[in-house]
Amino acid sequence: MLLSLLSRRSLEVDSRDAYGFALRPQQIQRYREYSSIYKEEEEERSTKWKDFLEHQAKSVLFYSSAEKFSEVSQVKTTEEKEEAVLQRGREGDDSGCIISDCDVSTECNTEKEVQLSKGAKEEVQLSELPGKEVQLLERPVKEFQLANTHRKQVQLSQESEKSAQLSEESEKDKIHSKATKTHKIQTWAQVRPSVHIIENMMSCCVKKRQKMKEGQISASRDHLPSINEIGTSGGDSVEDVDHATVKKSEDNVVGKMVSSETLFSWKEELESLVHGGVPKDLRGEVWQAFVGVKARLVESYYQDLLAIESNVCESKERSNSFRVPGKFQKQIEKDIPRTFPGHPALDEDGRDSLRRLLIAYALHNPAVGYCQAMNFFAGILLLLMPEENAFWTLVGIMDDYFDGYYTEEMIESQVDQLVFEELMRERFPKLVNHLDYLGVQVAWISGPWFLSIFVNMLPWESVLRVWDVLLFEGNRVMLFRTALALMELYGPALLTTKDAGDAITLLQSLAGSTFDSSQLVFTACIGFFAVTEKRLEELREKHRPAVLVVVEERSKQGRVWKDSKGLASKLYSFKHDSGVEEVFNSVESDGVLADGDKSRPETRSSNLDELLSGLTVDSEVDSLPDLQEQVVWLKVEMSKLLEEKRSAVLRAEELETALMEIVKQDNRRELSARIEHLEQEVAELRQALADKREQEAAMLQVLMRVEQEQRITEDARLSAEKDAAAQRYAVHMLEEKYEKATAQLAQMEKRVVMAESMLEATLQYQSGQARVQSSPRSVRNQSSGVESPRRKTGLLAFGLGWRDKNKGKPSNAEDSGDKSVNDEKDSNIA
Amino acid sequence: MGCSSSLPGRSSGRLGGLNSSESGGVPDAKNLRVKLVLLGDSGVGKSCIVLRFVRGQFDPTSKVTVGASFLSQTIALQDSTTVKFEIWDTAGQERYAALAPLYYRGAAVAVIVYDITNPDSFNKAQYWVKELQKHGSADIVMALVGNKADLHEKREVPAQDGLEYAEKQGMFFIETSAKTADNINQLFEEIGKRLPRPSSSSS
Ligand SMILES: Nc1nc2c(ncn2[C@@H]2O[C@H](COP(=O)(O)OP(=O)(O)OP(=O)(O)O)[C@@H](O)[C@H]2O)c(=O)[nH]1
Ligand SMILES: [Mg+2]
């Protein structure tokens, strides 16, 4: 399990994600945003799974321990180890079982060691291998970094076990490897029984499937007897295979009886858990359970396959009928360095594992051999589980889930594309119309999606989440659902694209940044719940004939190709004899006739008559197509005609869409003219409005000016009023003075009167004295009486004259006052 | 397998998106848009050529192409026309040839690549030429490319062989190196020049 190694190496390289896969530079930011979400999700699902598995463990504890015990004698070493751990796990009450990869540290060591010794007694009972005790005693602490070497050692130890020649050194290796393994499994000690339950449940399905395919299996096993012939060490393999299978199915019957009720009651619960994702640390084991590795596993089969290979390599003279064809070997060599390049776990040893795995599979299933894409699958599996388990998981995926997909003709893969296109037309007619219009075929994009099972197409978290569901379901439904979900998510954006290149680029990059893996999985599983295996099977039946026709055609061309290759290779090697070429030439003429070009139906000239004449010509030569072959040919021709008809219909549809588009454009043109017109009007109106505004502004200005003037006059008025008030005040003051003066005058007059009367009195007194003397005095008195008013008037005249004189003064004051007001006015204006 | 996208800046650098949509996908004489497919044996360097052309990089550890992968790139020619290449890089393993028609159908250009250090790949190239002559578009522009020209000390296919074969088939021939970038841009420029121009353009 390379991944656990990886996480221990504190992988903090920025351009790689938590799984050690390279991130594209433009996505590093997005990934960072999502990594915290991933962490949260991971914690959540860890607890959920833990609860679930603990619950299941309790309910099936009894059954599983019983079954296990009976199996002990025949399971292989790894399983024995699990066994032991199982027992221990039951003993221990440590609940901290779920330790995420990154948390595995030396800190946990002591605790585990305690647990280990705790379980030791029981283990002694269970195991027949004395090595185990030794292991417990001298368990090396540095084992953690040894995961890499351990892979090699497993290999070594298993081989040495077989040959029963355990040197001391290999014994040691074995111990080491076991210790490492124990440690890893130990992490899951408590939950293991329930993972095992999942395994049992899934293996029921595997069994059924295997039985259904009995014929095929025996066919594919045809090459196995060679193990007897070639492999000296693995001579017992065939018998072993049957033996083991029988044994296991017996076990399974028991298992079924005991636990079937429980199994199905929690299947739904498990399904919802799987939709939420499998926890990182469980993924390897759970995937194996889903694929049914335990039920598939045949003891030493993998080692035997590898032994064949190495034997063949050693002695090249041997018959090469059962070795991996050179072309696969070459291709594998080309592809190994191009599988997750730079992944820290795929170092020299990792690549060796990868090579062994792929070569073993090519030997196991020659119908597939090696197909590009498998390198990625094998790589992922190696990151999650031990090499041999990875092999069996790969076998399960390739032989069951993707049966017929990666074979030489890739028939099922092509069928699935037609099926997917039909589903697309059904679900997203508008989008498909748009893509048709742009000239984009859905299969251009969905083809690589399906073939790679989204590896390298989606961000890693999403890939693994899709695989979780796909492996759980045991078929390819999830491929379709995921692809449909992607179309649902990104269809609206695609509708805005204007040419084929943009559409494809957009879809590729959007898919490549589908970091929200939960959204993707839920959209797929819930939104496209109705896409079921049953429905897919129906559609596959419907579309398969068309693919078979094309494949038939190509296989004819293939012969042509081999011919041309023969001719060409003559330039470099002179191996081909001319006789073969003649035959091929005749076939070529045949192939040319039969060659129906779907894309250019109008240029295709062959009709049935020509075909028939062609056939007779052929039979004249020597490559004798018999009657049956002719029937096949007619069928082929028929299908081709149907195909042509279909493509004609399609073209008609295309043209129709194009026409619609043209009409739309026409409308558009008209509309745009009208818009232009309207725009002009609007512009005019705007102009008018602007004019009006200008006028308004002018008016406003005038108004403002008037107002200002008003204000000035007002000011003037105010100051004038002030002047008036001041004048009035001055007048008032003068009047007061005048009154005072008059009062003084009156007083003076009074005094004058008094003085006169006193004078008169004095005079009278004097005259009275004089009368006494003479009477004429009284006459004199009268004349003085006349005289005094005249004097009085004189005084008055004086007073008036003063007043007149004073009158000139106020007018002067008035002048100076005026002047100051004027000053004020000036300052106001200023 | 490239789940690769084209450089946003470069692919959208052309204003012509509008123009091609209005003319129903037919580009005008100044702004060409062509579908190009890369074919050839596995490991000859198809993906490396595209990545060199589009991103200007060479990654000695490229990824295996599964199915096909798409990239686009626009170049300007000397006569001030622009050509937007919509490139389909296909998977090289023989069995993936079954899917190739999906990608070369309707392609205006086919670039057939072999590895000058590998005669088998030259044979394979000839197979592709035949297949395209039969099933490709009638007026398809084909180029034969001998890649890994930097490995001249390991050369097994003489340049003369490539040239002669290409001339016989009426193809354009060039030797390139994705590693050193030798002749990569020339390859695409040369293709651009050979493209049939839309005869009567509206402008
Ligand atoms: N020296 C040298 N090596 C090259 C050159 N081009 C490609 N390579 C190497 O060849 C390997 C394969 O190149 P790819 O581009 O992946 O090959 P491909 O044709 O795409 O292969 P498939 O995807 O399998 O069809 C790369 O890993 C490079 O190391 C080149 O110009 N010079
Ligand atoms: Mg490639």
Side-chain angles (χ1 to χ4, degrees):
Chain A
M1 307 213 228
L2 307 188
L3 197 60
S4 49
L5 159 80
L6 168 76
S7 44
R8 263 163 234 162
R9 263 194 210 163
S10 88
L11 186 104
E12 288 300 313
V13 191
D14 258 349
S15 59
R16 296 193 171 265
D17 65 12
Y19 302 97
F21 293 112
L23 287 163
R24 264 168 275 155
Q26 67 267 33
Q27 289 179 348
I28 290 174
Q29 188 55 39
R30 291 279 315 273
Y31 174 74
R32 286 221 191 95
E33 283 166 33
Y34 272 92
S35 59
S36 60
I37 296 174
Y38 291 162
K39 230 184 195 159
E40 269 170 42
E41 284 183 346
E42 181 68 22
E43 275 164 27
E44 197 182 313
R45 73 173 71 103
S46 282
T47 28
K48 272 191 193 163
W49 278 78
K50 193 184 147 206
D51 291 349
F52 172 77
L53 292 177
E54 268 174 4
H55 180 71
Q56 295 307 323
K58 268 177 218 152
S59 61
V60 293
L61 194 64
F62 175 75
Y63 150 71
S64 87
S65 67
E67 188 224 25
K68 283 266 168 179
F69 206 90
S70 69
E71 253 181 41
V72 160
S73 55
Q74 51 140 345
V75 289
K76 40 189 286 38
T77 27
T78 33
E79 280 168 333
E80 274 180 74
K81 295 311 295 180
E82 287 167 16
E83 211 51 44
V85 168
L86 253 174
Q87 292 299 122
R88 263 179 261 137
R90 273 172 226 137
E91 285 264 289
D93 53 356
D94 173 19
S95 58
C97 282
I98 298 170
I99 299 169
S100 72
D101 263 324
C102 25
D103 290 338
V104 178
S105 61
T106 37
E107 201 188 311
C108 317
N109 266 350
T110 42
E111 199 184 350
K112 268 171 205 145
E113 231 149 350
V114 172
Q115 255 186 287
L116 273 170
S117 49
K118 222 176 166 183
K121 274 180 211 162
E122 200 154 348
E123 205 170 286
V124 176
Q125 282 184 301
L126 267 167
S127 73
E128 290 123 304
L129 283 176
K132 268 181 190 166
E133 264 181 11
V134 182
Q135 162 220 334
L136 285 168
L137 295 173
E138 12 170 296
R139 188 165 168 274
V141 189
K142 334 170 234 183
E143 282 298 311
F144 292 118
Q145 327 101 285
L146 288 182
N148 247 333
T149 37
H150 126 236
R151 265 181 286 112
K152 243 186 187 164
Q153 285 158 352
V154 172
Q155 185 73 25
L156 256 174
S157 66
Q158 276 157 352
E159 269 165 20
S160 54
E161 197 180 348
K162 235 171 18 200
S163 55
Q165 288 173 339
L166 293 173
S167 73
E168 234 177 73
E169 210 183 296
S170 68
E171 177 71 47
K172 233 182 189 172
D173 280 344
K174 198 168 152 193
I175 290 160
H176 278 215
S177 67
K178 274 177 186 162
T180 330
K181 253 186 197 167
T182 315
H183 167 76
K184 185 61 196 168
I185 296 158
Q186 175 74 37
T187 317
W188 285 101
Q190 274 195 335
V191 291
R192 283 294 293 179
S194 359
V195 175
H196 183 72
I197 292 300
I198 299 175
E199 199 164 51
N200 270 337
M201 184 189 88
M202 303 310 273
S203 64
C204 296
C205 314
V206 174
K207 279 280 142 57
K208 267 184 239 150
R209 222 179 287 154
Q210 274 183 352
K211 266 178 197 144
M212 275 163 56
K213 288 184 184 164
E214 202 87 74
Q216 195 210 320
I217 282 179
S218 63
S220 73
R221 238 186 238 154
D222 280 349
H223 68 290
L224 271 178
S226 67
I227 297 175
N228 282 329
E229 292 158 25
I230 301 168
T232 44
S233 58
D236 54 347
S237 65
V238 177
E239 266 159 31
D240 238 3
V241 169
D242 295 334
H243 187 64
T245 318
V246 172
K247 261 266 158 80
K248 281 186 188 215
S249 39
E250 269 170 20
D251 285 343
N252 224 294
V253 172
V254 182
K256 244 176 164 176
M257 272 164 51
V258 178
S259 56
S260 57
E261 325 94 63
T262 31
L263 288 184
F264 294 104
S265 66
W266 49 266
K267 195 184 171 183
E268 267 171 38
E269 202 183 336
L270 181 59
E271 184 174 22
S272 81
L273 280 180
V274 171
H275 287 177
V278 178
K280 259 187 212 169
D281 312 310
L282 269 181
R283 194 165 261 138
E285 291 173 65
V286 169
W287 280 12
Q288 290 176 56
F290 288 168
V291 178
V293 164
K294 194 166 161 260
R296 291 173 198 281
L297 193 137
V298 176
E299 199 183 340
S300 86
Y301 180 76
Y302 181 60
Q303 286 75 28
D304 289 345
L305 288 175
L306 292 175
I308 296 172
E309 184 51 31
S310 56
N311 279 349
V312 170
C313 284
E314 278 162 28
S315 51
K316 278 171 189 157
E317 300 307 308
R318 284 201 178 232
S319 92
N320 61 352
S321 53
F322 296 110
R323 57 175 295 189
V324 181
K327 63 172 179 180
F328 293 150
Q329 219 144 17
K330 266 193 208 156
Q331 191 65 57
I332 289 170
E333 285 312 320
K334 274 183 200 166
D335 290 354
I336 281 174
R338 298 191 292 157
T339 306
F340 307 132
H343 193 290
L346 285 172
D347 54 3
E348 191 102 359
D349 290 327
R351 289 179 182 187
D352 286 343
S353 292
L354 187 59
R355 179 178 300 112
R356 284 195 294 270
L357 201 57
L358 292 173
I359 284 178
Y361 183 83
L363 278 171
H364 158 78
N365 187 354
V368 173
Y370 169 73
C371 178
Q372 288 186 317
M374 283 169 60
N375 56 322
F376 293 115
F377 306 158
I380 295 173
L381 296 175
L382 277 175
L383 294 176
L384 295 171
M385 56 190 81
E387 188 176 322
E388 187 174 5
N389 302 42
F391 170 76
W392 288 106
T393 311
L394 184 67
V395 166
I397 294 172
M398 298 299 295
D399 293 0
D400 281 357
Y401 292 65
F402 287 86
D403 188 23
Y405 227 68
Y406 297 99
T407 51
E408 207 62 60
E409 286 85 22
M410 308 190 97
I411 290 170
E412 292 308 308
S413 155
Q414 296 181 58
V415 173
D416 270 9
Q417 285 314 310
L418 295 179
V419 171
F420 181 65
E421 199 181 325
E422 177 159 352
L423 287 174
M424 280 287 291
R425 285 190 191 279
E426 191 182 294
R427 294 290 182 132
F428 306 106
K430 211 171 136 197
L431 177 59
V432 176
N433 258 349
H434 182 67
L435 293 177
D436 280 350
Y437 165 62
L438 296 179
V440 175
Q441 264 181 278
V442 174
W444 289 352
I445 304 152
S446 57
W449 284 355
F450 280 45
L451 283 165
S452 58
I453 324 186
F454 298 103
V455 175
N456 294 325
M457 301 289 167
L458 302 177
W460 269 102
E461 184 77 13
S462 301
V463 170
L464 295 171
R465 292 283 300 274
V466 169
W467 279 55
D468 286 343
V469 181
L470 186 130
L471 295 181
F472 171 75
E473 286 178 345
N475 51 44
R476 298 195 294 274
V477 173
M478 190 57 185
L479 279 186
F480 289 87
R481 288 184 180 165
T482 307
L484 288 168
L486 286 169
M487 292 295 185
E488 167 132 330
L489 292 173
Y490 304 130
L494 286 181
L495 283 173
T496 66
T497 53
K498 299 243 165 81
D499 71 44
D502 292 350
I504 298 157
T505 303
L506 184 70
L507 185 53
Q508 269 187 356
S509 74
L510 285 175
S513 56
T514 310
F515 283 96
D516 196 341
S517 37
S518 292
Q519 185 196 31
L520 177 66
V521 171
F522 290 128
T523 310
C525 295
I526 295 161
F528 298 95
F529 178 73
V531 178
T532 59
E533 180 69 3
K534 189 165 162 277
R535 171 116 172 77
L536 291 181
E537 269 309 319
E538 284 166 16
L539 290 174
R540 283 179 186 134
E541 291 303 321
K542 178 177 155 194
H543 288 289
R544 192 169 287 117
V547 172
L548 289 175
V549 166
V550 178
V551 167
E552 178 97 4
E553 238 170 75
R554 282 200 70 85
S555 77
K556 293 232 149 52
Q557 273 173 38
R559 276 184 272 164
V560 178
W561 146 232
K562 274 181 197 132
D563 168 39
S564 72
K565 187 179 172 185
L567 279 169
S569 54
K570 260 172 96 178
L571 288 168
Y572 303 96
S573 57
F574 301 87
K575 272 184 186 167
H576 287 260
D577 61 52
S578 53
V580 178
E581 270 168 33
E582 246 169 59
V583 174
F584 276 130
N585 280 335
S586 70
V587 177
E588 181 167 21
S589 64
D590 173 347
V592 169
L593 263 180
D595 147 44
D597 188 347
K598 275 205 295 174
S599 69
R600 288 183 296 163
E602 66 274 16
T603 63
R604 227 181 59 81
S605 58
S606 75
N607 56 32
L608 281 175
D609 285 348
E610 271 176 24
L611 173 81
L612 285 173
S613 63
L615 286 171
T616 45
V617 170
D618 267 346
S619 53
E620 268 171 34
V621 182
D622 69 342
S623 59
L624 46 119
D626 61 8
L627 214 65
Q628 211 171 355
E629 217 170 307
Q630 283 190 31
V631 171
V632 172
W633 264 108
L634 288 171
K635 271 189 192 159
V636 167
E637 199 55 25
M638 187 75 163
S639 315
K640 261 186 275 170
L641 288 172
L642 285 175
E643 187 64 29
E644 263 175 41
K645 196 184 126 197
R646 255 176 40 139
S647 68
V649 170
L650 268 178
R651 264 175 50 124
E653 273 169 20
E654 263 167 41
L655 286 174
E656 210 171 324
T657 8
L659 187 71
M660 291 275 288
E661 211 49 49
I662 290 167
V663 170
K664 260 189 229 159
Q665 269 167 16
D666 241 34
N667 287 346
R668 252 181 252 155
R669 223 162 274 154
E670 216 169 277
L671 275 175
S672 70
R674 271 177 62 186
I675 284 170
E676 224 167 85
H677 186 70
L678 285 175
E679 261 170 15
Q680 212 171 340
E681 271 177 26
V682 168
E684 275 163 24
L685 284 173
R686 282 227 182 95
Q687 189 57 46
L689 194 70
D691 288 352
K692 285 254 165 74
R693 283 230 180 95
E694 227 167 90
Q695 282 176 12
E696 209 177 273
M699 293 277 281
L700 211 69
Q701 230 167 353
V702 171
L703 263 171
M704 266 171 53
R705 223 173 279 157
V706 169
E707 218 170 308
Q708 208 171 13
E709 271 164 31
Q710 253 176 2
R711 216 170 37 219
I712 291 165
T713 21
E714 180 80 1
D715 279 351
R717 194 175 62 86
L718 274 175
S719 57
E721 256 168 44
K722 244 190 236 165
D723 284 354
Q727 279 178 6
R728 245 178 270 139
Y729 178 71
V731 168
H732 181 73
M733 289 288 283
L734 283 173
E735 266 170 16
E736 241 170 63
K737 276 183 187 163
Y738 169 69
E739 260 162 42
K740 259 187 211 159
T742 353
Q744 276 174 352
L745 200 66
Q747 247 175 337
M748 300 256 273
E749 267 177 53
K750 251 188 209 163
R751 257 193 240 157
V752 168
V753 171
M754 257 192 356
E756 270 179 37
S757 55
M758 273 172 67
L759 186 66
E760 226 175 306
T762 324
L763 283 176
Q764 256 177 352
Y765 173 72
Q766 281 171 349
S767 68
Q769 277 190 338
R771 227 182 287 159
V772 168
Q773 289 160 4
S774 68
S775 56
R777 233 199 204 168
S778 61
V779 176
R780 263 202 68 204
N781 211 5
Q782 266 181 324
S783 66
S784 75
V786 173
E787 214 180 359
S788 68
R790 226 181 56 200
R791 270 163 74 190
K792 226 167 117 188
T793 338
L795 265 173
L796 265 175
F798 169 78
L800 281 173
W802 179 82
R803 207 177 129 194
D804 279 350
K805 238 177 147 183
N806 247 5
K807 241 191 174 172
K809 265 185 191 165
S811 79
N812 262 346
E814 210 176 79
D815 272 353
S816 69
D818 255 356
K819 209 181 172 190
S820 78
V821 168
N822 274 341
D823 280 350
E824 229 182 313
K825 208 197 275 173
D826 283 349
S827 73
N828 261 356
I829 290 163
Chain B
M1 141 187 355
C3 169
S4 32
S5 58
S6 62
L7 284 185
R10 276 163 139 170
S11 63
S12 60
R14 196 170 60 97
L15 283 165
L18 237 166
N19 114 56
S20 62
S21 85
E22 271 180 9
S23 52
V26 182
D28 63 35
K30 282 283 165 196
N31 299 300
L32 302 173
R33 200 160 61 81
V34 292
K35 179 176 166 184
L36 181 152
V37 64
L38 275 152
L39 298 164
D41 201 0
S42 176
V44 297
K46 298 181 293 297
S47 303
C48 288
I49 289 174
V50 186
L51 287 178
R52 171 59 85 181
F53 173 56
V54 175
R55 304 225 172 109
Q57 300 166 345
F58 175 72
D59 184 357
T61 54
S62 58
K63 270 186 264 173
V64 171
T65 309
V66 174
S69 119
F70 181 85
L71 278 173
S72 76
Q73 172 70 299
T74 306
I75 60 165
L77 298 178
Q78 277 175 346
D79 61 353
S80 82
T81 53
T82 66
V83 183
K84 181 180 181 186
F85 288 108
E86 298 176 349
I87 305 168
W88 279 106
D89 170 25
T90 61
Q93 198 184 5
E94 197 168 324
R95 67 187 63 180
Y96 279 99
L99 310 182
L102 194 61
Y103 296 101
Y104 68 64
R105 204 177 290 146
V109 183
V111 174
I112 294 160
V113 186
Y114 68 89
D115 173 354
I116 63 154
T117 69
N118 180 354
D120 280 349
S121 72
F122 187 46
N123 293 338
K124 191 78 199 226
Q126 296 174 23
Y127 157 75
W128 281 116
V129 173
K130 286 209 181 86
E131 164 127 359
L132 284 168
Q133 283 168 347
K134 267 193 221 158
H135 301 296
S137 318
D139 54 354
I140 193 165
V141 174
M142 285 204 276
L144 183 67
V145 174
N147 190 40
K148 307 200 188 179
D150 56 293
L151 300 175
H152 38 77
E153 74 282 0
K154 288 195 199 157
R155 177 191 287 277
E156 292 205 34
V157 183
Q160 193 59 32
D161 288 10
L163 185 64
E164 269 170 21
Y165 179 77
E167 268 174 4
K168 238 193 300 180
Q169 307 300 325
M171 300 166 76
F172 163 61
F173 174 73
I174 195 168
E175 286 198 349
T176 60
S177 165
K179 188 175 178 180
T180 64
D182 237 24
N183 275 345
I184 298 290
N185 286 335
Q186 286 83 332
L187 164 66
F188 288 92
E189 277 161 20
E190 211 46 56
I191 290 168
K193 281 186 211 158
R194 276 151 210 265
L195 287 172
R197 305 292 149 121
S199 46
S200 60
S201 74
S202 50
S203 57

